[in-house]
Amino acid sequence: MDPIVYAGVMSTRPANTGLKTWLPWTDRQGRFSALRGLAFALLLVPALMLLYAAWMHQLGSKPWTEAIHQTGTWAVRIFIATLAVSPFRRLFDWGKLIGIRRMLGLGVMAYALGHLALYCIDMAFDWGLIVSEIVKRFYLTIGFVALIGLVAQGVTSTDGMIRRLGKNWQRLHNLVYPIAILALLHFALQSKIDVTEPVLMSGLFLLLMLYRGLYRWKLPVSLAVLAGLALLAGLLTACLEAGWYAATSGVSAWLVFQANADILIYQDYASIRPAHWVALAGLVVALGHGLRARKARPPRQARETATARAA
């Protein structure tokens, strides 16, 4: 068995691998993996939904523009899901989850490339105009830079490139966080007036970064700490939303922040602020971690027996 380092995790795979190990629904030993199969199927769902909507003429009066927006939105969503793999693997002690991270990352790259391809089609492949638009428009510039970063990470995600780059591979792939920030900024800028979803995705990104800091600084991982991080992420998301609207539209930051206190008068799910969704997501994770830790804890009698023996 040849040892291979992938994202800092030692794993093994047979020395002689065939086509089966390259299938998206198989693990590194070529065996069917339900988790990978499910992840691959879910990655295809947005593309199939978009194709169906296009076939049924449900993309509105500007179908190419709508398709561009949808592929870009899904690229960001899958990006956030990809960044959630590592902290969730630790929080829920779910080692197999790391096996789908590369697939999700390649899915982000695929949707981002589709986003650019549809933009080029909409511009009738006028390369001079396309280049000038990317250079002149800031939100297109940072989006293109983020795409270059995603492609660089995608083409270096193979086992061969991991071995070839050595320590430089980890340095390159640590750029995923600034790339995510650029992608989120691009998402917010192109959304113009309504930045509800960009703020939501940004808030989830902040929550994931708090989880990363939790382990980086070796802080205690408990239900109370995770619940506190959830509330902190929600507060930061509310501040981000208020600051964004104040900076881009002149709306009072305090009024926007106050809107986040109106949770008791919500009439439907669509009116719930991003900050509350972020806090709720964090609280669900905290509860899930607490239940997982309690389940993994040995029965009280066994603990007392072990303590008595140790004494």
Side-chain angles (χ1 to χ4, degrees):
M1 306 288 279
D2 295 332
I4 290 177
V5 179
Y6 178 59
V9 178
M10 288 296 297
S11 62
T12 58
R13 67 182 296 179
N16 297 318
T17 57
L19 177 61
K20 291 182 72 174
T21 59
W22 293 97
L23 296 175
W25 49 83
T26 59
D27 60 19
R28 300 178 73 82
Q29 283 73 43
R31 298 170 301 193
F32 174 75
S33 168
L35 178 61
R36 294 190 184 208
L38 178 62
F40 181 66
L42 290 176
L43 282 175
L44 294 178
V45 169
L48 293 175
M49 291 173 57
L50 180 59
L51 288 173
Y52 177 78
W55 180 264
M56 299 300 293
H57 304 287
Q58 297 176 350
L59 294 179
S61 59
K62 296 182 178 180
W64 290 112
T65 301
E66 180 61 24
I68 291 168
H69 289 163
Q70 287 195 28
T71 50
T73 298
W74 277 108
V76 173
R77 290 170 178 170
I78 300 170
F79 205 160
I80 297 301
T82 305
L83 295 176
V85 169
S86 290
F88 281 17
R89 176 179 65 89
R90 290 182 172 182
L91 287 170
F92 300 109
D93 193 23
W94 192 1
K96 291 184 178 180
L97 198 61
I98 201 69
I100 67 171
R101 184 169 62 179
R102 175 157 48 183
M103 182 193 302
L104 292 178
L106 292 174
V108 177
M109 184 184 72
Y111 277 96
L113 286 173
H115 182 62
L116 176 63
L118 289 169
Y119 176 75
C120 292
I121 293 173
D122 191 41
M123 301 291 282
F125 293 105
D126 186 338
W127 300 112
L129 179 59
I130 292 170
V131 172
S132 66
E133 286 290 292
I134 291 175
V135 171
K136 290 189 301 183
R137 299 184 184 275
F138 178 65
Y139 80 95
L140 292 179
T141 303
I142 60 175
F144 189 70
V145 172
L147 176 60
I148 292 174
L150 287 173
V151 171
Q153 299 216 332
V155 299
T156 58
S157 66
T158 63
D159 295 332
M161 290 301 296
I162 294 170
R163 289 193 298 267
R164 193 171 298 120
L165 292 175
K167 293 182 179 180
N168 290 327
W169 184 89
Q170 191 62 60
R171 295 190 185 99
L172 173 63
H173 282 252
N174 281 338
L175 294 176
V176 67
Y177 303 106
I179 290 172
I181 293 173
L182 290 178
L184 289 167
L185 182 57
H186 168 76
F187 190 20
L189 288 171
Q190 68 85 33
S191 297
K192 297 180 175 62
I193 297 177
D194 185 7
V195 293
T196 300
E197 184 157 3
V199 170
L200 173 61
M201 293 296 109
S202 299
L204 293 175
F205 175 75
L206 289 172
L207 178 62
L208 294 174
M209 292 302 98
L210 289 175
Y211 290 153
R212 179 176 172 81
L214 188 68
Y215 287 101
R216 188 177 187 86
W217 292 303
K218 299 180 180 179
L219 300 175
V221 182
S222 65
L223 178 61
V225 171
L226 292 175
L229 290 182
L231 297 178
L232 176 59
L235 177 61
L236 292 175
T237 304
C239 293
L240 177 64
E241 182 183 34
W244 180 271
Y245 279 114
T248 59
S249 62
V251 176
S252 170
W254 178 242
L255 291 177
V256 177
F257 190 80
Q258 279 186 311
N260 285 276
D262 296 337
I263 189 171
L264 297 178
I265 62 173
Y266 284 153
Q267 301 297 318
D268 55 65
Y269 292 120
S271 63
I272 299 178
R273 305 308 310 160
H276 296 143
W277 284 120
V278 171
L280 178 61
L283 291 174
V284 169
V285 170
L287 179 60
H289 171 78
L291 293 175
R292 175 69 179 82
R294 185 175 181 180
K295 183 179 180 180
R297 195 179 184 189
R300 180 177 178 181
Q301 185 176 0
R303 295 199 309 272
E304 291 176 348
T305 301
T307 302
R309 288 177 179 176

